[in-house]
Amino acid sequence: MEDTSDNKSVQITKHINIGMVAHVDAGKTTLSEGFLFAAGNIQELGRVDNRDAFLDTDDIERERGITIYSKQAEFAYGDTAYTLLDTPGHVDFSAEMERTLQVLDYAILLVSGADGVQGHTVTLWRLLHRYHIPTFIFVNKMDQPGTDREKILAGLQEHFGERCVDFTHAMACFQGNGEKGISQEDRDAFFENVAVNEEDWLEAFLDEGKLSLDDILAGICDRKIFPCYFGSALKFEGVREFLEGFGYFTLEREYGEAFGAKVFKIARDGENQRLTYLKVTGGTLSVRQMISGSAGTVADGEARGEGWEEKVNQIRIYSGEKYEAVDQVLAGSVCAVTGLTKTYAGQGLGEEEESDLPVLEPVLTYGVVLPEEFHANAFLPKLKEFEEEEPELKILWDEDLEEIQIQMMGEVQIEILRRKIRERYGVAIDFDEGRIVYKETIASTVEGVGHFEPLRHYAEAHLLMEPGEPGSGVQVGMRCSEDVLNRNWQRLICTHIAEREHRGVLVGGGLTDVRITVVGGKAHLKHTEGGDFRQATYRAIRQGLMKAESVVLEPWFSFRLEVPAEMLGRAMTDLEKMHGKFDAPEQLGEVSALSGMAPVIAMRNYQKEVQAYSQ
């Protein structure tokens, strides 16, 4: 194939950050290759199975044929410059994908034409809705036998609503007749399919027989319409048409003048240098610029931990494995920065606010088994580097067992982590069989009092502990007069509440869904030191939990199970044995689908069982 694009002669008028999301094996990396080929960035199309894909730069990714880490590529097509972020599709690496969503202007959701909408595709759709990201849908693998455009579009509308509209000929509807012209009947059908989704649009269509381009652009931005395109990334069919339509129906975001940035990823380069990946959301970012921040915030906006200020040493614009060092980037740019050592994924810098916690959390805990010559305590700081890069790992130290524990999504993630540790530190570690992550909360309101008074030390903390909303985590606040306790000591107590995960008293699960408020305390003018309130705070929480009515929270999977219709009975029997709950089955041609919830402990290895009996 030859690239006949005259792309380089066109003036760039806008810049857009796009992300590729999909169920595993839907063809994200292959479509990314198609974009780069169409733009003239690469001379031939790489393939995942040939291990020469431009964006799968890691050796493990090439060996396994899956994307594990989000990757960045820069390219231009038409009048638009793009920053493309290719995200993992495998469910074990969903948190990496979710963090990347928060810096996108638009998302491209890939659906395999051969497989249709998969269970994980529905989860991705919900996440795109949560972060309110305008979404284009590209139905891939349309070259495979049995793929029917009308049937697939109907399936998309069944899962995602009537707002999914075929945009294959949408540009021609606005550009008039000519080379790309379509019949008046097809033009009317397109406008009608769009208009029925909004009352104002329907009135405009009935009055004028068409819609304005501004209506369409605004509707896509507001997620009122989802353009759908069809093609085959592997055969390079429909790729150029998609890029042309994508450039035509997207708008560049507007940003403020004050500096702001969103951190979405921490990584290390080949020389083990720490990289902070961020999107500039306001103003500009320059080399040698001083960046300030804190270790996070608590519910009432008070600082959690010490504030910091560090200098940007280098700004890198990555494209695959290579990068270009630049002196300055403008708002809307995605880049990697060196010199920052205290940043973390989800952090807001400058005017940017902190991100919400990821929806997808690990549900399995594994104990780390180290070689005899390594002591767990000494090896813990090395593993903490991986926690920076993948916050969902949650690396913990169990004081009672004197054991390092890691919370993870599943077996594939275990294999990848084992390999990365061996490559970086030359240590072959192992893991135990793993345990379910349980959490605890309280069902009653109590006051906990913590007292710490060894020789020449003194601190006392009074905490009100109340049940919180499900999913709210640990909320921290202050409701104490400064006449009772100096505000600085109150802030210090808040810091100690938020600095670690507190254990429940029933099964030792992490405390969650509780609001802890500082209501009192005591300090001594001469003998109180900062560390004294740490001990007093921990004791107050423990004492409160001992008095409260505690509740164990068990993790459940939300699932969608699709099996051949003749195997539906077995699937329903299996789920009932697991004490699962599910809705009435859906019939999708020759396949039956069940949606519901089941305990993780019962469903943990069920995926393998389904693959075995359904082939």
Side-chain angles (χ1 to χ4, degrees), residues 309-556:
E309 188 174 49
E310 294 180 324
K311 183 171 67 176
V312 173
N313 291 337
Q314 191 180 42
I315 300 173
R316 302 178 180 181
I317 305 294
Y318 271 90
S319 195
E321 288 182 293
K322 299 178 180 178
Y323 68 85
E324 177 189 359
V326 297
D327 292 330
Q328 186 182 71
V329 288
L330 304 177
S333 302
V334 174
C335 60
V337 171
T338 66
L340 305 182
T341 64
K342 294 181 171 60
T343 48
Y344 56 89
Q347 185 176 25
L349 302 174
E351 296 294 308
E352 186 64 37
E353 295 182 355
E354 189 106 349
S355 294
D356 292 335
L357 291 172
V359 173
L360 302 165
E361 290 193 16
V363 293
L364 302 171
T365 297
Y366 296 86
V368 176
V369 181
L370 290 168
E372 290 183 5
E373 63 269 25
F374 289 93
H375 193 275
N377 234 331
F379 200 72
L380 183 62
K382 298 182 185 297
L383 289 177
K384 283 289 184 180
E385 285 188 9
F386 290 97
E387 187 177 37
E388 281 188 334
E389 297 166 30
E390 299 180 56
E392 72 277 5
L393 286 179
K394 294 186 180 175
I395 295 170
L396 311 169
W397 172 251
D398 191 306
E399 294 178 0
D400 297 330
L401 298 175
E402 292 191 351
E403 174 186 72
I404 300 173
Q405 297 179 348
I406 304 182
Q407 294 181 3
M408 286 187 274
M409 296 292 289
E411 292 181 9
V412 176
Q413 202 177 18
I414 288 176
E415 293 178 36
I416 303 303
L417 182 62
R418 185 186 285 126
R419 169 81 172 267
K420 297 296 285 186
I421 291 171
R422 188 171 67 247
E423 289 179 353
R424 189 175 296 183
Y425 300 117
V427 180
I429 70 166
D430 212 338
F431 297 92
D432 62 17
E433 292 184 359
R435 300 173 292 283
I436 305 298
V437 176
Y438 292 94
K439 294 195 174 185
E440 294 187 34
T441 188
I442 59 174
S444 58
T445 300
V446 294
E447 183 176 346
V449 178
H451 187 85
F452 183 69
E453 192 180 1
L455 186 63
R456 288 191 290 275
H457 292 271
Y458 183 85
E460 194 171 299
H462 295 229
L463 305 176
L464 182 67
M465 303 175 66
E466 305 168 280
E469 293 293 322
S472 63
V474 177
Q475 303 293 311
V476 185
M478 295 188 298
R479 198 166 69 231
C480 176
S481 169
E482 291 189 43
D483 295 334
V484 175
L485 186 65
N486 186 286
R487 190 168 183 82
N488 286 334
W489 293 129
Q490 294 185 43
R491 288 177 174 175
L492 189 58
I493 294 173
C494 288
T495 297
H496 293 318
I497 293 171
E499 71 187 359
R500 62 176 283 184
E501 183 177 62
H502 300 279
R503 297 286 181 181
V505 296
L506 296 179
V507 297
L511 184 65
T512 189
D513 299 346
V514 61
R515 180 171 181 83
I516 303 177
T517 307
V518 180
V519 293
K522 292 180 182 178
H524 193 280
L525 284 173
K526 183 179 179 181
H527 295 310
T528 298
E529 297 178 1
D532 298 347
F533 272 104
R534 174 182 281 109
Q535 295 300 322
T537 301
Y538 292 175
R539 293 179 182 193
I541 292 173
R542 189 72 179 174
Q543 198 246 0
L545 291 175
M546 295 295 288
K547 295 192 313 186
E549 179 187 344
S550 293
V551 179
V552 176
L553 302 176
E554 180 182 17
W556 280 48

Side-chain angles (χ1 to χ4, degrees), residues 11 51 92 175 192 381 394 445 591:
Q11 184 178 359
R51 303 183 183 180
D92 280 15
Q175 295 176 337
E192 184 178 356
K394 294 186 180 175
T445 300
V591 173

Side-chain angles (χ1 to χ4, degrees), residues 165-234:
V165 177
D166 188 346
F167 262 58
T168 303
H169 303 296
M171 281 180 63
C173 294
F174 290 97
Q175 295 176 337
N177 291 319
E179 216 177 299
K180 293 184 179 179
I182 58 172
S183 68
Q184 187 63 45
E185 184 181 351
D186 288 340
R187 184 179 286 107
D188 290 344
F190 167 74
F191 283 125
E192 184 178 356
N193 289 337
V194 174
V196 294
N197 291 288
E198 286 290 316
E199 192 173 327
D200 293 344
W201 293 350
L202 189 57
E203 289 181 11
F205 172 68
L206 293 175
D207 290 343
E208 303 174 25
K210 63 178 182 178
L211 298 175
S212 72
L213 180 59
D214 288 342
D215 283 341
I216 300 290
L217 294 175
I220 294 171
C221 283
D222 293 338
R223 288 179 53 86
K224 293 178 179 178
I225 201 77
F226 302 102
C228 300
Y229 290 83
F230 300 80
S232 168
L234 190 62

Side-chain angles (χ1 to χ4, degrees), residues 148-162:
D148 180 273
R149 179 184 294 229
E150 296 301 323
K151 186 176 178 182
I152 292 169
L153 183 62
L156 293 173
Q157 292 173 341
E158 181 182 342
H159 283 94
F160 305 141
E162 297 295 325

